[in-house]
Amino acid sequence: MAGEPQADCLFCKIVAGEVPATVVRETEHVVAFRDINPQAPTHVLVIPKAHYPDAASLAAAAPELAAAVLAEAGQVAADESAEAYRIVFNTGSGAGQTVFHAHAHLLAGRGLAWPPG
Ligand code: 5GP
Ligand code: ZN
């Protein structure tokens, strides 16, 4: 069922506390934690606690939750005093998605080239 925890999902395990993470922000419905392999001085993943496989399916099924993820990403940027930042949703393995639980990458703390690779 949409939104239900998935037994084989790494980020559901982080939500459940079964896999440790460095949490920087948490609300009732959203959690933000540092990426284990940071690509910038600030690299935080912001996820809905409910499981949706990617950002578009999250937005389609639970638009208020998608908005909450974006709002929390902005709060992380503010917490980190980021003057400029990028929010990325890799979608599909060809675009680099490796964890199929919707997540925003919040990247900041260095120059960010455009267009991205
Ligand atoms: P994706 O490649 O799906 O867009 O992003 C998944 C991200 O999860 C990657 O940036 C990867 O470094 C991060 N990641 C993978 N395993 C773990 C983990 O166990 N803990 C944390 N904090 N991040 C992880
Ligand atoms: Zn999940």
Side-chain angles (χ1 to χ4, degrees):
M1 196 173 164
E4 294 300 312
Q6 300 295 302
D8 59 349
C9 173
L10 173 64
F11 288 176
C12 285
K13 290 178 181 165
I14 286 178
V15 170
E18 295 166 12
V19 169
T22 303
V23 172
V24 296
R25 292 186 67 88
E26 184 167 10
T27 69
E28 184 180 356
H29 297 297
V30 176
V31 62
F33 52 93
R34 296 199 187 279
D35 196 291
I36 203 167
N37 182 25
Q39 302 302 309
T42 292
H43 187 174
V44 171
L45 302 173
V46 186
I47 71 169
K49 291 183 177 177
H51 179 96
Y52 296 91
D54 56 45
S57 59
L58 165 65
E64 291 178 5
L65 184 53
V69 168
L70 284 174
E72 281 302 306
Q75 287 298 322
V76 172
D79 291 348
E80 305 262 328
S81 301
E83 292 177 6
Y85 58 87
R86 186 167 294 159
I87 298 171
V88 174
F89 292 92
N90 294 327
T91 303
S93 56
Q97 188 177 7
T98 59
V99 178
F100 290 82
H101 178 132
H103 54 279
H105 294 259
L106 184 281
L107 297 155
R110 65 167 170 80
L112 294 163
W114 189 260

